[in-house]
Amino acid sequence: MTVLVMKRVLTPTIAAITLIIKFKGSKRFFMNVHIQTILSDVNWIHNEKADNIALRVENMKIRCVNEAMEKALETVLCPPCGGPHGKEEQLCNLQKLRTKNVILKTEYERLSSYLTKHGGYSIPSVDALPDLHGPSTYGSTSNNRPASYGSSSNHLPQQSSLLRRPFTRELINTTPLPKPVLLQHFQQLSQLEKNRMFEIAKNAVAEVMSLIQMEHSMWIKSTIDGRAIIDPGNYKRYFTKNSHLKSRSALQSHHESSMEVVVVQMDARNLVDMFLNTEKWARLFPTIVTEAKTIHVLDSMDHPRQTFSRVVYEQLHILSPLVLPREFIILRTCQQMKEDLWLIADVSCYLQNVEFESTAPICTKRPSGVLIQALPHGRSKVTWIEHVEVTDKVWPHQLYRDLLYGGFGYGARRWTATLQRMCERLSLYSMTDFPPTDYPGVVKTIEGRRSVMSLGERMLKNFAWIMKMSDKLDLPQQSGANNSGVRISVRTNTEAGQPPGLIVCAGSSLSLPLPPLQVYDFLRNLEVRHQWDVHCQGNPVTEAARFVTGPDQKNNVTFLQPSSVGEYKLMILQDGFIDALGGMVVYAPMNLNTAYSAISGQVDPSTIPILPSGFIISRDSRPSSSEVDGGSMTLLTLAFQIFVTGPSYYTDLNLKDSATTVNTLVSSAVQRIKAMLNCE
């Protein structure tokens, strides 16, 4: 028993002693294993570095291949169209392809029409079909093809309902979709989104009404010209806490605010209707609103007063191609406050996947609007409030920088001045006889008077629309040391009311040390017109008819008749106006057949093709001691259009030659006008 106990006690001890002896004997073995492990790690690290170096070399090879491929892509030719490399050449080639597409489409429509009208007869060749355009004048392009300087067509194409008018917006670029999305195809708003917009509309109406009522505590005088602007401190204290609009950094954006009160010659209900209809809205402000479209019409709000809301897209542009357009998506709400009182409030709202033009400033319309009060004799009192936050992506051009930042650009005064002028003009359409201020001349009927006035109105609108020059094409001769300050735009026109085909437009802006009224009177002076207008060919001009478009007889539309010794005779339709902020003088030549069609009043004026050129006159931002002359400095923009080729034939057009021609016309006109005004 004792032996068993001793065995159990000594067995673990003996095992431990044996293990120690073995450990001591293998100490050198473990050291060798440890050294081998370290050497293995060193070899692995060395191999890892070698692999990294090899990968870097491979990466450099791939990068060199990518650079070579990029250079190859810059010089590659497109097999289907033969398009050359380079941005400028690609733009020219793209314009040619667009022109050819329009030509083929037009020829298809003409041939289809011919088949419908003359079924069973043989089809003549394209060259045998009648030319859509009259004789060419003033200018040439390559290959001895005719080009016309702003001339109109002999034939009067019928307006197509499929063609987009200049002031409507059919497309907005959206992301992340690669193609534009039709506005009418926007997704319907959910009930949650509608409820949110109703709340935004309610707050906007309340804020605009408060701004009007808090006239003394919320508004201060501008240090620039003494006009009423919002006190930013009081505004932040009262209104910004509950706003859905996020304010940007003061270093990135600036606020523009103003208020004006005017009386206009229009019934209040008609005025409200024009504000709620985007097409009428664009007509009411033709020199400001370039495009407008209703996106959503919301149900009437659950409110004791009659209230209507809608989501509207609008693009605004003024004065010059140097001024970038502004784009908004706004929630417009109309609420009848009393029997003869309406409030219309605008505020920016956001829709998903909507992206504006990349260079356009980011504009947020804070609650703004108009209070319309009905007055006796078909007049209305309008209180206009404009409040916008603007973040410029591109620094405004120095010619118009002070004007824009000073509030003269898109402020309430410009809106109310335009509203007054257009209401006065529209009221004259209903006259049943020639007023004593008119000179009917060659126009014998009141229908002819309405036709001429309507054509002049459309001419002003189209000219203001082309000032965006969204299809700007930068050509080599317009850049570098010999830059003349002329901006070139090339477009293929398919719109009704203008000659179909390729049109080149050139514009330039400059500053003159003269008041706007003096510049306006000079441009309308028929005694010196032949010295700067190439349509006159150096011959005197007489007035064939004149119709006043407002209380100021300087605002009128006229038909001018240049003396001509050649076979080709033409008339010039001119429309002009002047107000406290500036004015416009726009004109378009037309052959006698087209002019007589307008004078007769028997042809729809919207189908008469015109290609306007002209001038935009603006006062600068400095205060003026007199509202009559509008200040001591004038910002003048002139733009000429050349009709290069129509859809009846197609050649390999040299756009650079055409651009050089119109560039020369603009540059020479600028030099002549400056010399005649002693402003060299």
Side-chain angles (χ1 to χ4, degrees):
M1 184 69 178
T2 305
V3 174
L4 292 173
V5 171
M6 291 295 293
K7 188 177 181 179
R8 290 178 181 176
V9 172
L10 293 175
T11 299
T13 304
I14 295 170
I17 294 171
T18 305
L19 182 63
I20 292 171
I21 293 172
K22 289 180 179 180
F23 176 77
K24 287 182 178 180
S26 60
K27 184 176 181 181
R28 181 174 297 178
F29 170 77
F30 281 111
M31 290 180 64
N32 291 335
V33 171
H34 181 64
I35 293 172
Q36 290 177 1
T37 302
I38 293 174
L39 292 175
S40 177
D41 291 341
V42 170
N43 291 332
W44 181 83
I45 293 172
H46 178 74
N47 293 335
E48 186 72 16
K49 288 183 178 180
D51 291 341
N52 287 339
I53 293 173
L55 289 174
R56 288 196 187 102
V57 172
E58 188 68 21
N59 189 32
M60 289 296 297
K61 291 180 180 179
I62 295 174
R63 186 176 298 177
C64 292
V65 171
N66 286 339
E67 291 178 356
M69 292 176 65
E70 289 178 357
K71 291 181 180 179
L73 287 175
E74 292 178 358
T75 58
V76 72
L77 293 178
C78 175
C81 64
H85 67 87
K87 181 178 179 181
E88 296 165 357
E89 291 83 357
Q90 288 175 359
L91 288 174
C92 294
N93 191 63
L94 181 61
Q95 198 66 46
K96 295 174 186 177
L97 294 176
R98 288 175 178 170
T99 304
K100 189 172 183 179
N101 186 42
V102 172
I103 292 168
L104 294 174
K105 188 181 296 183
T106 305
E107 293 301 331
Y108 172 78
E109 292 175 354
R110 291 171 64 187
L111 292 173
S112 298
S113 176
Y114 185 87
L115 285 173
T116 303
K117 187 175 180 181
H118 304 283
Y121 290 87
S122 60
I123 303 177
S125 65
V126 172
D127 294 333
L129 294 176
D131 190 0
L132 290 179
H133 305 282
S136 61
T137 57
Y138 318 120
S140 62
T141 57
S142 60
N143 300 329
N144 299 321
R145 287 292 187 182
S148 61
Y149 173 68
S151 61
S152 300
S153 168
N154 277 332
H155 300 266
L156 307 177
Q158 296 298 318
Q159 186 177 16
S160 171
S161 60
L162 298 177
L163 295 179
R164 176 170 64 93
R165 300 181 71 179
F167 53 80
T168 60
R169 177 76 166 185
E170 299 295 341
L171 301 173
I172 289 182
N173 289 333
T174 61
T175 56
L177 297 177
K179 295 182 179 180
V181 177
L182 293 176
L183 280 180
Q184 56 266 32
H185 291 170
F186 269 106
Q187 294 182 355
Q188 294 296 321
L189 297 174
S190 65
Q191 190 59 45
L192 182 63
E193 291 173 318
K194 290 182 179 180
N195 292 339
R196 174 61 175 161
M197 288 192 175
F198 287 148
E199 185 67 23
I200 293 173
K202 178 182 176 181
N203 294 336
V205 169
E207 180 171 325
V208 173
M209 198 64 193
S210 298
L211 288 173
I212 294 174
Q213 294 173 346
M214 301 169 66
E215 182 175 356
H216 299 290
S217 60
M218 190 58 63
W219 297 86
I220 58 177
K221 286 188 176 181
S222 168
T223 57
I224 299 177
D225 60 350
R227 74 184 188 282
I229 61 173
I230 292 177
D231 184 344
N234 284 340
Y235 181 82
K236 185 176 181 180
R237 187 179 305 115
Y238 283 101
F239 296 115
T240 56
K241 293 181 180 179
N242 299 324
S243 175
H244 71 287
L245 302 173
K246 296 181 180 180
S247 182
R248 297 179 177 85
S249 170
L251 297 177
Q252 299 175 346
S253 62
H254 67 277
H255 286 255
E256 300 173 1
S257 62
S258 53
M259 180 173 65
E260 294 289 334
V261 181
V262 295
V263 175
V264 299
Q265 190 64 40
M266 181 174 287
D267 177 74
R269 292 184 180 274
N270 291 337
L271 194 58
V272 170
D273 176 66
M274 296 193 77
F275 273 66
L276 295 180
N277 185 308
T278 52
E279 187 168 335
K280 295 179 180 179
W281 163 262
R283 182 187 180 188
L284 197 57
F285 301 97
T287 57
I288 303 177
V289 181
T290 54
E291 300 180 17
K293 187 76 174 180
T294 299
I295 301 175
H296 297 295
V297 177
L298 305 181
D299 300 330
S300 298
M301 295 170 58
D302 185 12
H303 196 276
R305 295 169 181 164
Q306 192 175 13
T307 307
F308 305 95
S309 294
R310 55 205 60 205
V311 180
V312 174
Y313 165 82
E314 66 177 10
Q315 185 186 75
L316 313 179
H317 186 258
I318 56 172
L319 301 178
S320 168
L322 300 178
V323 179
L324 292 175
R326 294 182 176 182
E327 294 181 289
F328 298 89
I329 289 184
I330 59 176
L331 177 62
R332 176 165 294 170
T333 304
C334 175
Q335 187 173 111
Q336 186 171 5
M337 314 301 290
K338 297 179 182 178
E339 183 179 356
D340 60 348
L341 191 66
W342 292 263
L343 180 68
I344 299 176
D346 287 353
V347 64
S348 284
C349 65
Y350 302 104
L351 298 179
Q352 294 182 353
N353 298 329
V354 175
E355 182 178 293
F356 296 138
E357 294 183 8
S358 59
T359 58
I362 302 173
C363 300
T364 302
K365 178 160 286 192
R366 296 196 168 271
S368 309
V370 294
L371 184 67
I372 302 174
Q373 180 182 357
L375 298 179
H377 310 296
R379 299 185 303 164
S380 302
K381 178 183 177 182
V382 177
T383 303
W384 195 296
I385 291 179
E386 198 70 20
H387 189 193
V388 180
E389 182 180 354
V390 182
T391 303
D392 289 309
K393 299 178 183 177
V394 179
W395 196 251
H397 193 277
Q398 59 181 359
L399 272 178
Y400 293 91
R401 188 178 305 157
D402 293 340
L403 184 141
L404 293 173
Y405 287 165
F408 284 102
Y410 295 93
R413 185 170 299 181
R414 185 171 301 277
W415 288 97
T416 54
T418 305
L419 179 64
Q420 277 186 305
R421 186 183 70 252
M422 288 303 299
C423 287
E424 292 164 354
R425 181 173 188 136
L426 294 175
S427 66
L428 296 175
Y429 280 92
S430 60
M431 300 188 69
T432 58
D433 199 2
F434 292 104
T437 54
D438 286 353
Y439 167 59
V442 296
V443 181
K444 304 302 182 182
T445 63
I446 198 68
E447 291 78 13
R449 176 181 180 272
R450 294 194 190 100
S451 175
V452 172
M453 291 184 64
S454 177
L455 194 58
E457 179 187 340
R458 182 165 64 88
M459 188 169 59
L460 287 173
K461 177 175 57 184
N462 288 348
F463 184 75
W465 180 73
I466 67 170
M467 282 295 97
K468 294 187 303 179
M469 289 194 178
S470 56
D471 297 327
K472 179 174 69 70
L473 180 64
D474 293 324
L475 301 175
Q477 66 260 37
Q478 272 73 55
S479 60
N482 297 323
N483 195 314
S484 64
V486 178
R487 174 167 292 192
I488 304 294
S489 174
V490 180
R491 73 181 190 276
T492 302
N493 179 65
T494 58
E495 296 170 355
Q498 295 187 26
L502 189 65
I503 296 173
V504 178
C505 177
S508 180
S509 298
L510 64 151
S511 177
L512 299 174
L514 298 172
L517 182 59
Q518 183 177 343
V519 177
Y520 180 76
D521 289 338
F522 165 78
L523 294 174
R524 294 174 61 254
N525 187 349
L526 300 184
E527 295 181 359
V528 298
R529 187 185 186 99
H530 63 279
Q531 299 183 38
W532 60 263
D533 189 354
V534 296
H535 296 108
C536 302
Q537 297 184 333
N539 299 317
V541 180
T542 58
E543 191 175 66
R546 181 185 67 255
F547 305 110
V548 175
T549 57
D552 189 347
Q553 295 191 25
K554 291 180 179 292
N555 298 352
N556 54 56
V557 54
T558 60
F559 253 121
L560 306 178
Q561 179 71 66
S563 302
S564 177
V565 296
E567 296 182 359
Y568 184 67
K569 296 183 179 181
L570 56 80
M571 297 185 74
I572 300 174
L573 178 66
Q574 176 174 288
D575 203 321
F577 68 85
I578 188 74
D579 57 32
L581 296 181
M584 292 177 67
V585 177
V586 180
Y587 57 92
M590 55 184 65
N591 55 55
L592 295 184
N593 291 338
T594 305
Y596 290 151
S597 298
I599 291 170
S600 68
Q602 303 300 315
V603 177
D604 183 1
S606 64
T607 65
I608 298 177
I610 53 175
L611 196 61
S613 300
F615 304 84
I616 298 179
I617 304 164
S618 173
R619 57 171 293 180
D620 64 352
S621 60
R622 285 174 284 188
S624 172
S625 58
S626 171
E627 287 292 335
V628 177
D629 58 15
S632 58
M633 293 289 293
T634 294
L635 300 176
L636 180 67
T637 295
L638 66 159
F640 297 156
Q641 295 193 89
I642 284 185
F643 178 70
V644 179
T645 180
S648 57
Y649 54 82
Y650 176 79
T651 60
D652 187 13
L653 301 173
N654 191 330
L655 294 181
K656 294 182 180 180
D657 289 347
S658 302
T660 301
T661 301
V662 71
N663 175 52
T664 303
L665 288 171
V666 171
S667 301
S668 60
V670 168
Q671 296 304 320
R672 291 195 205 101
I673 291 173
K674 290 175 66 176
M676 295 171 69
L677 290 172
N678 297 319
C679 296
E680 290 183 305

